[in-house]
Amino acid sequence: MTDTQQNSQARQILAFLQREGFVAPDEKTSLAPLAGDGSDRIFYRIRTAGAGSYCAVMPDSSRRPDAMAEAQAAAFIGIHLQKRGIPVPTVHAFDPENGLLLFEDLGETHLYDVLEEQKRQNGEAAWKKLAATYREVIEMLLYMQISGSVRFDRKWCWDTPRYDRKLMLEKESGYFLAAFCRDLLNLEEPAPGLAGEFKKLAGKAARQPAVYFLHRDFQCRNLMVTSGEIRVIDFQGGRLGPLGYDLASLLIDPYAGIPAGLQQRLLEHYLEQLCTYGLDDRAFLKGYKSLALQRNLQILGAFAFLAERKQKSFFRQFIPPAARSLQQLLAGPDGDNYPEFRRLSEKIIKILERQT
């Protein structure tokens, strides 16, 4: 973004703040750009002389009308989740004319930052300290999935209203093949049987009831730690979906690198909590691995796209652990159903090992 564009946005934001009564016309106000991770949206931290602090989010003007629809989804879904008692940032205001969103400022500490600091200080022992935090996150996640689905209006969704088989094939396995296998690794055409295996996988994952609130990017960089409490951000892609997807997002998260043994214990904790809501843990487990595979495909597609196409080198370091996660998911009995997919995952590991 050029200085001219940034100055224009700053004027729009200040005018909106004054019009809505957040700042007085003569009140000293500062706007500082913030990094947006993998998002195309533009973020600012606003500080006012009256000790107020806000986060402003502007849509990417090059993506209209999708960017405007995404901004509107963030406003409506954020307000809904807050009403349902889910710890999201307060939506202070929304300008439908330009898509400007004014959120509560949650600070700068992501759960990712807490993990990295604990690992730096305590090494492998860090996970003993972090396990309790993750159990708390899991309990909050399940509450969000169930409570967030109550009176959820699918018209708020900007991408698709429900996580379904079509989305899996186009935006997960299709994304993986195009952005990761073809564009990043320069792999030749996939084996003839792979498309059929991806359809089989999506069909199995689609059998899970898609009636719960789905965040679709529930991982440690979308969880803030504010005054010792976990808060959820980046929910604008929310829709209805199955329970297992967001849990898989949290447990196989390459940013976090949760050890396999702890992943299993956290899964068991989720199942225990599931039973307290009267839900069937055995039915959940029937589809969990399929949803975890779908999520892993999405992760690799997204990291490849961000690293290669968007030239955001930060994401490149997380591609090998995401590839190893995929290999591990396919190593068990579930992988016997997808022999071509398993062979591809093993080939990917060898390619990545040669590149390091």
Side-chain angles (χ1 to χ4, degrees), residues 194-263:
L194 192 61
E197 289 185 8
F198 282 152
K199 288 178 182 177
K200 182 179 180 180
L201 172 63
K204 189 171 182 180
R207 293 189 196 117
Q208 292 292 295
V211 295
Y212 303 96
F213 177 76
L214 174 71
H215 183 287
R216 199 162 175 260
D217 197 17
F218 195 79
Q219 37 84 1
C220 67
R221 291 184 68 83
N222 282 335
L223 296 169
M224 304 292 292
V225 182
T226 306
S227 300
E229 295 184 354
I230 303 291
R231 308 286 290 278
V232 184
I233 62 170
D234 273 14
F235 40 74
Q236 69 279 353
R239 68 201 77 195
L240 293 179
L243 289 170
Y245 191 95
D246 277 345
L247 179 65
S249 299
L250 183 72
L251 297 187
I252 67 171
D253 175 11
Y255 298 128
I258 302 175
L262 180 55
Q263 284 189 40

Side-chain angles (χ1 to χ4, degrees), residues 2 18 21 23 35 40 44 48 65 94 97 123 150 158 178-179 202 250 257 279 311 331 337 340 342 346 348:
T2 66
Q18 291 172 5
V23 298
D40 291 323
Y44 293 89
T48 70
F94 174 60
E97 293 297 318
V150 176
W158 76 273
L250 183 72
L279 296 171
Q311 293 296 297
N337 296 313
E340 293 294 348
R342 178 185 275 172
E346 292 167 353
I348 287 166

Side-chain angles (χ1 to χ4, degrees), residues 15-285:
F16 179 74
L17 291 170
Q18 291 172 5
R19 188 168 68 247
E20 297 296 315
F22 289 97
V23 298
D26 58 348
E27 187 175 350
K28 187 177 180 181
T29 305
S30 68
L31 274 75
L34 298 172
D37 230 0
S39 175
D40 291 323
R41 298 177 298 163
I42 300 111
F43 299 81
Y44 293 89
R45 172 165 288 116
I46 302 164
R47 299 192 190 277
T48 70
S53 181
Y54 307 98
C55 179
V57 187
M58 292 287 288
D60 175 13
S61 59
S62 68
R63 289 180 52 235
R64 299 177 74 97
D66 279 352
M68 289 296 291
E70 183 182 18
Q72 184 169 283
F76 289 158
I77 293 173
I79 291 168
H80 167 73
L81 293 177
Q82 186 181 0
K83 287 179 179 177
R84 298 302 307 164
I86 290 116
V88 296
T90 300
V91 179
H92 289 299
F94 174 60
D95 188 349
E97 293 297 318
N98 57 22
L100 167 64
L101 262 166
L102 193 67
F103 280 115
E104 175 187 3
D105 182 9
L106 298 180
E108 299 180 359
T109 305
H110 297 79
L111 180 57
Y112 170 80
D113 302 313
V114 175
L115 299 180
E116 290 298 293
E117 180 63 19
Q118 283 288 333
K119 290 176 193 176
R120 187 185 67 77
Q121 291 182 0
N122 302 298
E124 290 301 314
W127 286 109
K128 291 183 179 179
K129 295 178 176 288
L130 293 165
T133 300
Y134 265 85
R135 285 194 293 271
E136 177 188 336
V137 170
I138 277 175
E139 290 166 17
M140 182 265 288
L141 166 62
L142 184 53
Y143 177 77
M144 179 179 72
Q145 292 175 310
I146 294 171
S147 184
S149 67
V150 176
R151 292 190 288 278
F152 182 82
D153 190 339
R154 285 178 288 169
K155 292 177 183 176
W156 298 331
C157 302
W158 76 273
D159 186 8
T160 63
R162 194 183 295 271
Y163 180 80
D164 58 17
R165 186 174 179 273
K166 183 174 183 289
L167 182 150
M168 295 178 214
L169 293 171
E170 291 179 1
K171 299 186 178 181
E172 293 185 338
S173 57
Y175 194 24
F176 164 80
L177 286 172
F180 182 70
C181 294
R182 185 190 68 203
D183 296 347
L184 184 73
L185 299 185
N186 296 310
L187 282 173
E188 67 271 14
E189 288 297 310
L194 192 61
E197 289 185 8
F198 282 152
K199 288 178 182 177
K200 182 179 180 180
L201 172 63
K204 189 171 182 180
R207 293 189 196 117
Q208 292 292 295
V211 295
Y212 303 96
F213 177 76
L214 174 71
H215 183 287
R216 199 162 175 260
D217 197 17
F218 195 79
Q219 37 84 1
C220 67
R221 291 184 68 83
N222 282 335
L223 296 169
M224 304 292 292
V225 182
T226 306
S227 300
E229 295 184 354
I230 303 291
R231 308 286 290 278
V232 184
I233 62 170
D234 273 14
F235 40 74
Q236 69 279 353
R239 68 201 77 195
L240 293 179
L243 289 170
Y245 191 95
D246 277 345
L247 179 65
S249 299
L250 183 72
L251 297 187
I252 67 171
D253 175 11
Y255 298 128
I258 302 175
L262 180 55
Q263 284 189 40
Q264 181 60 35
R265 292 195 295 277
L266 292 171
L267 172 59
E268 290 167 1
H269 183 66
Y270 183 91
L271 295 173
E272 290 169 3
Q273 297 300 309
L274 199 66
C275 292
T276 68
Y277 283 89
L279 296 171
D280 189 341
D281 56 337
R282 289 171 298 181
F284 172 90
L285 282 172

Side-chain angles (χ1 to χ4, degrees), residues 320 351-356:
I351 292 171
L352 293 174
E353 285 174 347
R354 289 199 299 268
Q355 292 178 351
T356 56

Side-chain angles (χ1 to χ4, degrees), residues 249 252-257 296 299 303 318-319 321-322:
S249 299
I252 67 171
D253 175 11
Y255 298 128
N296 218 140
I299 290 170
F303 283 175
F318 300 107
I319 289 174

